[in-house]
Amino acid sequence: MTTSVSRLRDEKYEQLVAQYVASLPDKLAALERAMSAGRAGDAAALSEAREIAHRIHGTGGCYGLRELSEAAAVLDDLLTSMKRGVGGSWVEADSAASLVRAVAEAARKH
């Protein structure tokens, strides 16, 4: 592969990462809405919140945002446990979601 092709791929990747990072506020707003409804007893919303956390965990890792991926993994695990009725609490989930938001905000500033 030539240097120019490699550079072009790197630039394209960086654009994709920047687009993903720019989309995080919308993803986090959807997560917050789903968690709020889940907290109020909506089982479907709890499932949606878990799915959003799961996607952030995966896509964050794919885009090299290791800290975001790891924070979202913790939230994903908590929401999965809550969904299954085998542990976790909204206090823990809120704390994990706060960490996801803080890491996402830090990524946006870079």
Side-chain angles (χ1 to χ4, degrees):
M1 178 170 19
T2 66
T3 303
S4 61
V5 171
S6 178
R7 191 173 322 128
L8 183 60
R9 285 187 180 171
D10 289 347
E11 289 173 10
K12 181 63 175 169
Y13 179 75
E14 289 303 317
Q15 284 179 326
L16 291 172
V17 172
Q19 289 171 351
Y20 177 74
V21 169
S23 76
L24 285 172
D26 290 339
K27 292 176 188 347
L28 296 175
L31 175 64
E32 182 58 38
R33 284 190 301 274
M35 286 182 64
S36 181
R39 193 177 299 103
D42 184 339
L46 174 57
S47 292
E48 180 184 357
R50 193 219 56 89
E51 181 62 31
I52 294 167
H54 184 78
R55 285 193 312 260
I56 293 171
H57 169 206
T59 54
C62 288
Y63 287 119
L65 303 169
R66 184 182 51 80
E67 291 178 5
L68 178 62
S69 179
E70 290 172 358
V74 170
L75 180 58
D76 180 11
D77 289 346
L78 276 167
L79 294 173
T80 298
S81 293
M82 292 168 65
K83 181 180 171 206
R84 293 178 179 163
V86 295
S89 70
W90 283 110
V91 170
E92 293 171 305
D94 289 339
S95 178
S98 291
L99 180 58
V100 170
R101 280 191 296 278
V103 173
E105 183 61 32
R108 290 185 67 225
K109 291 180 179 179
H110 282 98

